[in-house]
Amino acid sequence: MVSASGHEAVRQCDALTGQLYSDHADYLFRPYLGSAHLRAIERVSEWMSDAGMTTRVDAAGNLVGRYGEGAKALIVGSHIDSVRDAGNYDGPLGVMLGIQLCAALNATGRKLPFAIEVYAFGDEEGSRFPAPMLCSRAVAGTLNVAAFDVVDAQGMTLADALTTAGLDVGHFLDAKRDPAGILGYLEAHIEQGPVLEAEDLPLGIVTAIAAQIRYQARVTGVAGHAGTNAMSLRKDALTGAAEMMLAIERIAGAGPSDLVGTVGRLSAAPGAPNVVPGEVVFTIDLRAGTLETLQPAEAAVVSELHAIAARRGLTLQLDCTHQLPPSPCAPAFRAMLSRAVESLGLKARDIVSGAGHDAMIFSPIVPSAMLFIRCKDGISHNPLESVDPDDADLALKAMLAFIDHLEAAYA
Ligand code: GLV
Ligand code: MN
Ligand code: MN
């Protein structure tokens, strides 16, 4: 059997790629409940069993591996779904490090006064249904049934997607765990930014995760003949959307550096070279470290977009699809993680996460902490994502030292 290591975690992430584990022939794309996701569950489940864990798939399609016994469990989680044209490590590395953590404990037969449960969440990215972190929200018990009312780009409902995977939307909320049985939540994740690399540090301690809000905008004009409609008489939904996107860029760019705004997806109909576009649908993603920064920016975007639509004679419908407040990590857990990193002779660099994580869902409910791992050139959500396996080894050592502190503090 291969001995537990960060190198092995990186190898496992690399093995979870290619045709079997992607639903797109040309790049890595593993949306929630797609066939690649279901095959990934099988493979990761084997790795969990090899690490001495019992496994199950819960009612929301999360793979759960449990190591050890105890009335309470530390959840070590991250996600195995991916964005479109993804890298290998955003999500899977945290899951594989959780498995390696259990493998390391298992190798010495170490018994803890609490169990460790590694959760491979099924949907964090929201890249299939417009509802990110659906699966961790089910586990935390913070999901509203209205969240089930989503369809994917092919028009398939969440209920039907669950059925194809042998699951039942009527039982989705059964994935909920009683917080009284959760000791806390730990997530390891690549930084997805350039700070650690710039400071020549392999690991960082997340202090808080930025607030985020997403909208779907639907701009409706009038489709018409590209040759006969004089420019001054058009109601072009696409040029209107273009002006809206530039307004979002301007508003976000005028704020503090933690305020960011992105239009990541756009579709224009009917989509022909000789037809003035009649309808455009696009997404808006706004984030900031505090609500004091995010909320005025959101209000400015909403009002500016409506003003542009009115001036151009277009109709604008804005639907909020996702909203999360800023999520501070728990001071006691952060301190234990910092001591764990320092015990390796490393600086425990505090860092704010601009990216969203499943940890955001757990931090209001149980003590939560996040360990960041340096990634090459800060690149993520991109196939060029790269992690030094030696950094992953350090992350595993820090997680083991964190477990020592948690055990010592366990009453
Ligand atoms: C997840 O990767 C997000 O921050 O959107
Ligand atoms: Mn991501
Ligand atoms: Mn992620």
Side-chain angles (χ1 to χ4, degrees):
M1 185 184 284
V2 189
S3 57
S5 69
H7 280 243
E8 181 59 13
V10 170
R11 268 194 294 275
Q12 287 172 328
C13 294
D14 293 340
L16 216 60
T17 59
Q19 297 246 307
L20 263 187
Y21 301 110
S22 172
D23 281 344
H24 197 284
D26 301 330
Y27 51 69
L28 179 59
F29 179 42
R30 197 162 47 237
Y32 177 45
L33 300 177
S35 43
H37 176 216
L38 301 181
R39 282 191 291 267
I41 285 178
E42 279 177 30
R43 185 85 185 267
V44 177
S45 166
E46 286 165 15
W47 292 331
M48 286 176 164
S49 303
D50 291 347
M53 310 167 83
T54 56
T55 64
R56 66 187 174 95
V57 176
D58 74 7
N62 298 308
L63 171 62
V64 192
R66 182 174 167 102
Y67 174 80
E69 298 300 326
K72 292 194 176 214
L74 172 74
I75 293 184
V76 179
S78 202
H79 57 101
I80 55 170
D81 67 322
S82 84
V83 291
R84 201 170 272 284
D85 204 5
N88 297 358
Y89 309 105
D90 171 7
L93 186 60
V95 175
M96 303 317 156
L97 281 170
I99 296 172
Q100 293 302 312
L101 174 70
C102 295
L105 297 170
N106 190 43
T108 57
R110 173 122 171 243
K111 300 266 184 297
L112 298 168
F114 49 85
I116 296 179
E117 293 199 21
V118 176
Y119 267 76
F121 294 113
D123 170 80
E124 189 268 358
E125 302 283 7
S127 41
R128 176 164 186 183
F129 298 100
M133 305 183 203
L134 204 54
C135 295
S136 45
R137 283 190 284 151
V139 176
T142 51
L143 203 59
N144 187 309
V145 283
F148 299 157
D149 194 16
V150 284
V151 289
D152 70 10
Q154 275 67 48
M156 188 182 269
T157 63
L158 173 64
D160 287 345
L162 286 162
T163 304
T164 63
L167 298 166
D168 177 353
V169 73
H171 288 293
F172 199 88
L173 298 181
D174 296 350
K176 177 181 185 316
R177 298 293 298 273
D178 179 357
I182 306 177
L183 183 57
Y185 178 87
L186 174 66
E187 181 164 358
H189 203 286
I190 56 167
E191 180 201 344
Q192 306 183 276
V195 173
L196 294 175
E197 187 175 61
E199 296 184 15
D200 200 18
L201 295 170
L203 302 175
I205 313 292
V206 176
T207 53
I209 308 173
Q212 45 181 259
I213 186 156
R214 283 187 203 166
Y215 281 93
Q216 177 174 275
R218 183 178 298 272
V219 184
T220 310
V222 179
H225 199 292
T228 58
N229 277 283
M231 298 307 287
S232 61
L233 299 175
R234 292 181 179 202
K235 289 190 169 60
D236 183 331
L238 187 52
T239 51
E243 190 178 344
M244 292 175 191
M245 285 183 265
L246 291 175
I248 293 165
E249 185 183 54
R250 191 179 62 249
I251 292 165
S257 61
D258 59 313
L259 175 65
V260 287
T262 306
V263 173
R265 192 166 64 216
L266 175 145
S267 63
N274 57 350
V275 184
V276 177
E279 184 174 87
V280 169
V281 176
F282 64 92
T283 55
I284 305 168
D285 179 305
L286 297 171
R287 304 185 191 204
T290 63
L291 289 180
E292 289 67 34
T293 300
L294 186 64
Q295 284 171 340
E298 177 197 359
V301 165
V302 169
S303 117
E304 183 62 17
L305 265 51
H306 279 294
I308 292 167
R311 188 161 20 81
R312 288 174 166 266
L314 302 167
T315 304
L316 172 67
Q317 186 187 328
L318 280 178
D319 293 313
C320 181
T321 54
H322 170 70
Q323 187 165 18
L324 281 173
S327 310
C329 292
F333 263 44
R334 264 176 58 193
M336 283 192 269
L337 201 51
S338 295
R339 274 195 282 145
V341 168
E342 283 162 357
S343 72
L344 304 177
L346 298 168
K347 179 178 169 190
R349 164 64 151 99
D350 284 347
I351 188 164
V352 174
S353 173
H357 300 287
D358 294 299
M360 299 181 88
I361 305 302
F362 287 93
S363 63
I365 292 164
V366 293
S368 300
M370 274 199 86
L371 180 66
F372 266 1
I373 302 150
R374 165 172 61 186
C375 58
K376 191 165 185 314
D377 299 328
I379 292 175
S380 183
H381 284 188
N382 183 316
L384 294 176
E385 245 172 37
S386 172
V387 179
D388 184 337
D390 289 344
D391 289 355
D393 268 343
L394 290 170
L396 179 59
K397 288 193 175 98
M399 290 165 82
L400 281 160
F402 174 85
I403 294 294
D404 292 342
H405 293 309
L406 195 60
E407 185 182 22
Y410 193 75

Short mmCIF file of all heavy atoms in Angstrom, two decimals, residues 78-79 90-91 124-125 187 189 192 356-357 381, ligand 3:
data_model
loop_
_atom_site.label_atom_id
_atom_site.label_comp_id
_atom_site.label_asym_id
_atom_site.label_seq_id
_atom_site.Cartn_x
_atom_site.Cartn_y
_atom_site.Cartn_z
N SER A 78 -14.33 19.24 1.09
CA SER A 78 -14.18 20.11 -0.07
C SER A 78 -14.99 19.44 -1.18
O SER A 78 -15.74 18.50 -0.90
CB SER A 78 -12.72 20.33 -0.46
OG SER A 78 -12.61 21.54 -1.22
N HIS A 79 -14.86 19.89 -2.41
CA HIS A 79 -15.80 19.44 -3.44
C HIS A 79 -15.11 18.70 -4.58
O HIS A 79 -13.93 18.95 -4.86
CB HIS A 79 -16.56 20.65 -4.01
CG HIS A 79 -15.66 21.70 -4.57
ND1 HIS A 79 -15.42 21.84 -5.91
CD2 HIS A 79 -14.91 22.67 -3.98
CE1 HIS A 79 -14.59 22.85 -6.11
NE2 HIS A 79 -14.26 23.37 -4.96
N ASP A 90 -8.77 22.46 -7.68
CA ASP A 90 -9.78 23.27 -7.00
C ASP A 90 -10.88 22.34 -6.52
O ASP A 90 -11.73 21.91 -7.30
CB ASP A 90 -10.33 24.34 -7.97
CG ASP A 90 -11.54 25.07 -7.40
OD1 ASP A 90 -11.87 24.85 -6.23
OD2 ASP A 90 -12.14 25.87 -8.14
N GLY A 91 -10.85 22.03 -5.24
CA GLY A 91 -11.80 21.10 -4.66
C GLY A 91 -11.17 19.75 -4.35
O GLY A 91 -10.95 19.41 -3.18
N GLU A 124 -20.28 22.47 -5.42
CA GLU A 124 -19.83 23.71 -4.79
C GLU A 124 -19.86 24.84 -5.80
O GLU A 124 -20.20 25.97 -5.50
CB GLU A 124 -18.42 23.52 -4.22
CG GLU A 124 -17.94 24.68 -3.35
CD GLU A 124 -17.16 25.73 -4.13
OE1 GLU A 124 -16.94 25.55 -5.33
OE2 GLU A 124 -16.77 26.75 -3.54
N GLU A 125 -19.48 24.51 -7.03
CA GLU A 125 -19.27 25.56 -8.03
C GLU A 125 -20.56 26.14 -8.59
O GLU A 125 -20.57 27.24 -9.14
CB GLU A 125 -18.44 25.00 -9.20
CG GLU A 125 -17.08 24.43 -8.82
CD GLU A 125 -16.05 25.50 -8.54
OE1 GLU A 125 -16.41 26.68 -8.52
OE2 GLU A 125 -14.87 25.14 -8.33
N GLU A 187 -11.16 22.70 6.10
CA GLU A 187 -11.03 22.55 4.64
C GLU A 187 -9.66 23.02 4.20
O GLU A 187 -9.21 24.11 4.55
CB GLU A 187 -12.12 23.38 3.92
CG GLU A 187 -12.05 23.25 2.39
CD GLU A 187 -13.32 23.73 1.68
OE1 GLU A 187 -14.28 24.14 2.37
OE2 GLU A 187 -13.33 23.69 0.43
N HIS A 189 -7.44 23.90 0.77
CA HIS A 189 -7.79 24.30 -0.60
C HIS A 189 -6.62 25.06 -1.20
O HIS A 189 -5.89 25.75 -0.48
CB HIS A 189 -9.02 25.23 -0.55
CG HIS A 189 -9.80 25.26 -1.83
ND1 HIS A 189 -9.35 25.91 -2.94
CD2 HIS A 189 -10.99 24.72 -2.18
CE1 HIS A 189 -10.24 25.77 -3.92
NE2 HIS A 189 -11.24 25.05 -3.48
N GLN A 192 -5.73 29.81 -4.94
CA GLN A 192 -6.42 30.37 -6.13
C GLN A 192 -6.07 31.84 -6.35
O GLN A 192 -6.81 32.56 -7.02
CB GLN A 192 -7.94 30.20 -6.04
CG GLN A 192 -8.38 28.76 -5.81
CD GLN A 192 -9.88 28.57 -5.79
OE1 GLN A 192 -10.50 28.78 -4.77
NE2 GLN A 192 -10.46 28.18 -6.91
N GLY A 356 -15.14 31.58 -3.01
CA GLY A 356 -16.11 30.96 -2.10
C GLY A 356 -15.72 29.52 -1.82
O GLY A 356 -15.04 28.87 -2.63
N HIS A 357 -16.12 29.02 -0.67
CA HIS A 357 -15.80 27.64 -0.29
C HIS A 357 -16.93 27.06 0.53
O HIS A 357 -17.68 27.80 1.17
CB HIS A 357 -14.50 27.61 0.53
CG HIS A 357 -13.32 28.15 -0.20
ND1 HIS A 357 -12.71 27.46 -1.22
CD2 HIS A 357 -12.66 29.32 -0.10
CE1 HIS A 357 -11.72 28.18 -1.70
NE2 HIS A 357 -11.66 29.32 -1.05
N HIS A 381 -9.32 27.95 -11.66
CA HIS A 381 -10.43 27.95 -12.63
C HIS A 381 -9.85 28.00 -14.03
O HIS A 381 -10.30 28.74 -14.90
CB HIS A 381 -11.41 29.12 -12.38
CG HIS A 381 -12.31 28.89 -11.20
ND1 HIS A 381 -13.37 29.72 -10.88
CD2 HIS A 381 -12.33 27.89 -10.29
CE1 HIS A 381 -13.99 29.25 -9.82
NE2 HIS A 381 -13.38 28.15 -9.43
MN MN B 3 -13.13 25.23 -4.71
#
